[in-house]
Amino acid sequence: MRDAVVRRAPGADKEERRLPVREQILTQIFLIIVAFTVLFPILWIVSLSFDNIERPSEFRLVPQEFTVSAYQQVFTQPTSNPTPFWRLLLNQLMLAGGVAFASVMVGVFAAYAFSRLKFPGRGGFMLGIIAVLLLPQIATIAPLYIILNGISPQLRGSFLGVGIAMTSGALPFAIWNLKGYLDTIPKDLEEAARIDGASPNQIFFQIVLPLAVPALAVTAFLGFLSGWTEFALSWQFLDINNPNNLTLAMALYTMTGQYASEVPWSRFAAMSLLIAAPVAIVYLSLQRYIVGGLTVGGVK
Amino acid sequence: MATDVRMASESNMPPQKRQRSVWDEVLRNRVAYLYLLPAFIIMGIVTFYPLFYQLWMSFTDFGIRSLNPNSATYLPPTIVGFDNYIRILGFKGGVPQIANFSFLNTLSFNLFWTFSNVVIHVTLGIFIAVILNQPGVWGRNIYRAIYVLPMVIPALVIATVWKNIFDPRFGPVNQMLTSIVGSWNPAVAANGIGIRWFEEVQYPITGIPLPLSYFAMLITNIWLGWPFMTIVATGALQSIPKDMYEASSLDGASWWDDLRYITLPLLRPAMVPAAMYGLITTFNLFHIIYFMSGGGPLRRTEILVTTAYRLVNEQRLYGIAAAFAVYIFLILLVMTLATNRVTKATESYDA
């Protein structure tokens, strides 16, 4: 097996063999059909968003009148709730960004300790974190709600309260994810530094942390991603009496689902795209790192 | 090495000095504990404490009247033992506040939903990956870029968009079906086919207890789920040395033999962890179910996590919700241990 890999000619790549014409055509037909199934919802939503339709009477992939009026409406006031778009955006950014940033900043220290240092109780603590990760966050809403409400209903109904509740799940995830990444960083540099007499703090801040920046970025992004469309917690906690207490995700929900007797189609499409596009673009560029982390365990 | 030195000197010391107090251990590992401290203080408060609180809650009759100590109708929660647990299982009168609630039905639907999805995802994912990975396929990178798209769109957006795709009057699915069926059926052409994907109570296939909303969500989740499996499969396929296929073609093997004896076994170590990951995430898939069918006609498509949310958000039965959460944890624990065992078994198979 080893020999077979070495014997492969250098520079030979997947294109060294060409597919016979019949196979190529069949393959292309199949792949195009698959591509169409993937693209059609996206194309439909994009075309709806550039159109001015309250209720689509027929299925079309190309807008009948190309206009950005839906986007304009979304930017001023997406829903019947009088909160402007920028406010919704700000709220969602605060939550997602704040929680992601905090969980990564605090978590990286613990992840380093788990990854590099040996100490009594290491296995036990790690097991505790993994056990906590098992429970989906939905199932922890009840006690968080009660506890925060017990401290102060104002706290519970505020964004700070939602942020605290979100951290409950974000921090263990950040620690676990960062530990996985840190484990893949070779220890040679740290060993060399230790022999040279560097203190553990110096090793961490000056050697490991700079090397871990991609890991920090990916973990922060994943945390941000889960907070960007966070719905269940904010819907449960936030005080609805205050119209400013609305996030993007909540607004999107009110445009559909049980609350919408009539979906404002073009506005809904524009809203969906505005929510999805930024994170999709970032995700696409980081995609290699994210999936790589998940498959590292499988493909040895 | 340092340890050896320490132990060598220890044996020269009088016996009572060899005992080490807990504090000495802490001091020796103080760097590690210091680094752990902030994270664990925070987690202690927001993660672990609520979990223990929830455990306590599950043994009480915590309800909406126990929420606010300052309100006039305050009723402090009283311990009711295993009452909540028993009632969730359907005994002692069940949970009458929720119509059509059956733990067993919800659990079995949840399991069926999970397995049917993952089986299809993995099969489709491998199939498409193998086709895409053939040498000399034109536009391979373009297809790869397109196929990633479902993964990068947030689940909330996918769920709400597909919910509208299945809208009875204005969704593309029904509109397309109307044009197709309407070409030979004038009644349909006039009024629209009007399939109510999420409200239809009659089972589409008699004898199979799966409502139409299951199929709608299945289609959506397949759309969402197969690209991940394809990515994992592609990574694994690329690490299979080409010479194996050349050798087998010299031996006169057909493409089916190749698939069965080379490709699939070599894919297994990568696909099994991916499938296990898919099982766990699909089991807990809140967005698709909650936003599309909302639990389906008469709660037939509820899964455990959506029921848990409902208990807190709509019914406000916090004690029962807490017991429910404990059940979810135990079930997930069993699932995770089982999937870990399967993963390890296949790893050692290939080691």
Side-chain angles (χ1 to χ4, degrees), chain A residues 24 28 31 120 168 201 236 268, chain B residues 33 35 47 136 143 147 313:
Chain A
Q24 181 75 256
Q28 290 297 319
L31 290 176
S168 142
N201 282 338
Q236 172 72 15
F268 165 76
Chain B
Y33 290 128
Y35 274 40
T47 309
Y143 288 119
Y147 294 166
N313 191 283

Side-chain angles (χ1 to χ4, degrees), chain A residues 25 51 102 147 159 196 206 262:
Chain A
I25 295 185
D51 211 331
I147 293 175
F159 283 105
D196 284 347
Q206 291 172 6
E262 289 175 348

Side-chain angles (χ1 to χ4, degrees), chain B residues 63-347:
Chain B
I64 188 169
R65 293 176 66 186
S66 319
L67 194 56
N68 189 354
N70 301 324
S71 92
T73 54
Y74 179 65
L75 206 66
T78 51
I79 310 270
V80 293
F82 281 96
D83 206 51
N84 292 333
Y85 291 94
I86 300 178
R87 293 171 70 144
I88 290 181
L89 288 181
F91 305 109
K92 259 203 189 180
V95 185
Q97 295 93 330
I98 312 179
N100 296 312
F101 174 75
S102 158
F103 185 73
L104 204 60
N105 282 349
T106 308
L107 178 62
S108 41
F109 178 75
N110 202 343
L111 287 171
F112 180 76
W113 160 258
T114 306
F115 280 100
S116 55
N117 267 292
V118 175
V119 163
I120 298 180
H121 292 175
V122 172
T123 312
L124 257 186
I126 294 182
F127 188 63
I128 296 179
V130 166
I131 294 190
L132 203 51
N133 202 51
Q134 292 172 103
V137 171
W138 289 339
R140 182 187 292 139
N141 288 333
I142 302 179
Y143 288 119
R144 287 231 177 96
I146 294 180
Y147 294 166
V148 167
L149 285 175
M151 274 178 55
V152 304
I153 303 177
L156 172 73
V157 174
I158 293 181
T160 48
V161 168
W162 274 90
K163 160 112 202 233
N164 287 330
I165 290 182
F166 281 106
D167 188 274
R169 267 195 303 162
F170 306 114
V173 170
N174 273 5
Q175 287 177 344
M176 282 195 288
L177 285 175
T178 302
S179 348
I180 298 178
V181 177
S183 59
W184 69 74
N185 185 332
V188 165
N191 303 324
I193 195 164
I195 300 179
R196 288 152 60 227
W197 291 89
F198 299 113
E199 287 112 30
E200 184 59 57
V201 178
Q202 289 258 17
Y203 296 132
I205 311 174
T206 44
I208 300 185
L210 289 171
L212 216 46
S213 55
Y214 163 75
F215 291 103
M217 294 190 294
L218 185 67
I219 295 175
T220 306
N221 204 25
I222 291 177
W223 182 88
L224 170 57
W226 70 258
F228 174 70
M229 297 296 167
T230 300
I231 292 181
V232 175
T234 305
L237 280 174
Q238 285 174 344
S239 65
I240 299 179
K242 298 273 185 294
D243 305 52
M244 300 200 75
Y245 294 111
E246 284 174 9
S248 78
S249 71
L250 282 177
D251 288 344
S254 70
W255 65 267
W256 173 245
D257 290 330
D258 272 351
L259 193 68
R260 203 168 144 218
Y261 295 113
I262 303 182
T263 315
L264 287 180
L266 287 178
L267 275 181
R268 197 189 310 187
M271 295 314 296
V272 166
M276 299 297 126
Y277 177 77
L279 282 179
I280 303 281
T281 49
T282 310
F283 192 81
N284 289 331
L285 204 55
F286 179 79
H287 285 119
I288 304 278
I289 306 259
Y290 191 76
F291 292 117
M292 290 185 76
S293 75
L298 307 177
R299 286 194 196 285
R300 294 207 186 124
T301 57
E302 285 269 15
I303 59 175
L304 292 182
V305 289
T306 57
T307 311
Y309 186 67
R310 251 181 236 295
L311 281 171
V312 177
N313 191 283
E314 292 162 25
Q315 265 69 22
R316 303 182 180 273
L317 299 167
Y318 302 114
I320 298 192
F324 205 85
V326 173
Y327 273 129
I328 293 183
F329 177 74
L330 291 172
I331 293 174
L332 279 175
L333 188 64
V334 168
M335 274 183 75
T336 308
L337 289 175
T339 55
N340 269 342
R341 186 157 293 188
V342 173
T343 309
K344 288 218 169 54
T346 52
E347 268 176 18

Side-chain angles (χ1 to χ4, degrees), chain A residues 21-295:
Chain A
V21 178
R22 194 190 78 138
E23 259 87 89
Q24 181 75 256
I25 295 185
L26 286 176
T27 303
Q28 290 297 319
I29 293 180
F30 176 76
L31 290 176
I32 290 182
I33 296 180
V34 171
F36 182 70
T37 65
V38 168
L39 287 175
F40 115 81
I42 301 176
L43 290 175
W44 179 69
I45 273 287
V46 170
S47 119
L48 251 193
S49 74
F50 284 112
D51 211 331
N52 195 354
I53 300 183
E54 281 300 322
R55 272 175 290 285
S57 53
E58 50 167 356
F59 171 56
R60 49 188 330 130
L61 282 181
V62 177
Q64 62 190 30
E65 46 162 307
F66 191 92
T67 162
V68 290
S69 66
Y71 285 97
Q72 287 170 332
Q73 288 175 357
V74 165
F75 277 124
T76 46
Q77 185 183 307
T79 66
S80 50
N81 181 299
T83 319
F85 183 80
W86 67 263
R87 177 108 227 160
L88 298 174
L89 180 64
L90 194 67
N91 291 340
Q92 195 84 48
L93 271 178
M94 262 196 324
L95 277 182
V99 172
F101 180 75
S103 62
V104 167
M105 283 296 118
V106 174
V108 69
F109 290 93
Y112 176 71
F114 280 120
S115 173
R116 292 296 196 257
L117 307 173
K118 290 206 183 347
F119 51 93
R122 178 169 175 252
F125 284 144
M126 200 69 223
L127 203 62
I129 292 187
I130 295 182
V132 158
L133 284 175
L134 269 189
L135 198 59
Q137 190 148 32
I138 308 281
T140 61
I141 291 187
L144 285 167
Y145 184 78
I146 309 279
I147 293 175
L148 280 174
N149 202 47
I151 298 179
S152 139
Q154 278 76 30
L155 177 64
R156 181 223 73 197
S158 71
F159 283 105
L160 182 60
V162 180
I164 293 176
M166 282 167 69
T167 311
S168 142
L171 191 49
F173 170 75
I175 296 180
W176 176 75
N177 201 290
L178 283 171
K179 172 188 180 290
Y181 277 115
L182 286 178
D183 281 344
T184 65
I185 298 180
K187 306 198 172 118
D188 317 6
L189 287 172
E190 297 159 66
E191 302 264 323
R194 194 174 309 135
I195 295 178
D196 284 347
S199 79
N201 282 338
Q202 281 177 319
I203 298 181
F204 177 69
F205 282 101
Q206 291 172 6
I207 299 183
V208 178
L209 213 49
L211 282 177
V213 164
L216 291 175
V218 171
T219 308
F221 176 68
L222 287 177
F224 180 83
L225 195 60
S226 75
W228 180 245
T229 54
E230 206 296 310
F231 165 79
L233 274 179
S234 30
W235 191 263
Q236 172 72 15
F237 281 51
L238 287 176
D239 190 359
I240 319 191
N241 292 327
N242 183 348
N244 279 333
N245 276 350
L246 209 64
T247 65
L248 279 181
M250 292 163 73
L252 187 65
Y253 177 64
T254 61
M255 285 177 152
T256 175
Q258 300 99 316
Y259 284 87
S261 49
E262 289 175 348
V263 180
W265 290 84
S266 284
R267 266 185 290 145
F268 165 76
M271 186 76 165
S272 315
L273 278 179
L274 285 173
I275 295 182
V279 289
I281 295 175
V282 178
Y283 198 145
L284 273 174
S285 36
L286 287 181
Q287 182 223 128
R288 208 154 294 133
Y289 298 101
I290 298 176
V291 183
L294 286 169
T295 57

